[in-house]
Amino acid sequence: MRYPKYLLHLIENLKRLPGVGGKTAERYAFQMLDWKKEHLHEIAAAIINFADNIAFCEECGCMRHEEKCEFCTEERANEGVIYVIASPREVYAIESTHEYHGLYHVLGGLLSPMEGIGPDKLKIKKLIERIQAPAIKEVV
């Protein structure tokens, strides 16, 4: 039996999510059949808004939704510390502790020669530029 093409398209796209294989994607898609049309439009709009409005800070690499990054403030720069991390997700985990008040630098991934990710694919050059500033006293 063959599913309708729109259902197949949804299943294929859901499989792109981490940890979601074919069976899970199929289960999600069939669950969505029971949703009200407004809820489906709402989730579609949320995805479109995310794609259209989330950007990455040119300075630190964190996500931003305004013109300025909330993590690149003068107050944070005065701390003199840059915390180097792999992904923006980690910024929010660290922020939730309310213990760290310095700057961040998101590399955009981790070195992985097996996946073809070398230093040239990460934001290491920008990190080197940033840590050469006289105000920076420590790199974590």
Side-chain angles (χ1 to χ4, degrees):
M1 178 196 270
R2 222 178 94 111
Y3 293 139
K5 69 179 179 178
Y6 296 110
L7 179 61
L8 284 173
H9 186 66
L10 177 60
I11 291 168
E12 287 305 310
N13 280 284
L14 289 170
K15 285 180 5 185
R16 293 179 180 181
L17 293 167
V20 177
K23 294 287 183 195
T24 301
E26 188 176 298
R27 190 170 57 251
Y28 289 167
F30 275 96
Q31 177 64 41
M32 288 179 183
L33 286 173
D34 296 333
W35 289 11
K36 293 180 181 177
K37 201 172 210 175
E38 305 87 64
H39 293 146
L40 292 169
H41 286 279
E42 195 174 306
I43 197 168
I47 292 169
I48 290 167
N49 284 330
F50 173 78
D52 290 346
N53 295 302
I54 293 292
F56 295 93
C57 176
E58 302 270 333
E59 189 67 19
C60 71
C62 294
M63 289 185 296
R64 64 175 175 77
H65 60 277
E66 305 275 331
E67 288 298 316
K68 286 200 95 155
C69 172
E70 68 179 288
F71 305 112
C72 288
T73 64
E74 194 172 310
E75 297 83 31
R76 285 178 174 268
N78 288 339
E79 293 285 322
V81 180
I82 292 183
Y83 201 130
V84 181
I85 55 178
S87 76
R89 180 180 184 187
E90 294 161 344
V91 171
Y92 295 96
I94 295 164
E95 283 294 299
S96 71
T97 68
H98 305 288
E99 296 293 322
Y100 179 73
H101 305 288
L103 298 170
Y104 293 99
H105 185 82
V106 179
L107 292 174
L110 296 171
L111 290 173
S112 179
M114 297 291 286
E115 295 176 22
I117 302 172
D120 55 315
K121 302 246 175 154
L122 303 176
K123 296 178 182 115
I124 294 175
K125 288 179 186 174
K126 182 66 176 174
L127 173 62
I128 292 168
E129 286 174 25
R130 292 182 75 199
I131 63 176
Q132 292 175 343
I136 300 303
K137 299 175 188 93
E138 184 179 0
V139 176
V140 179

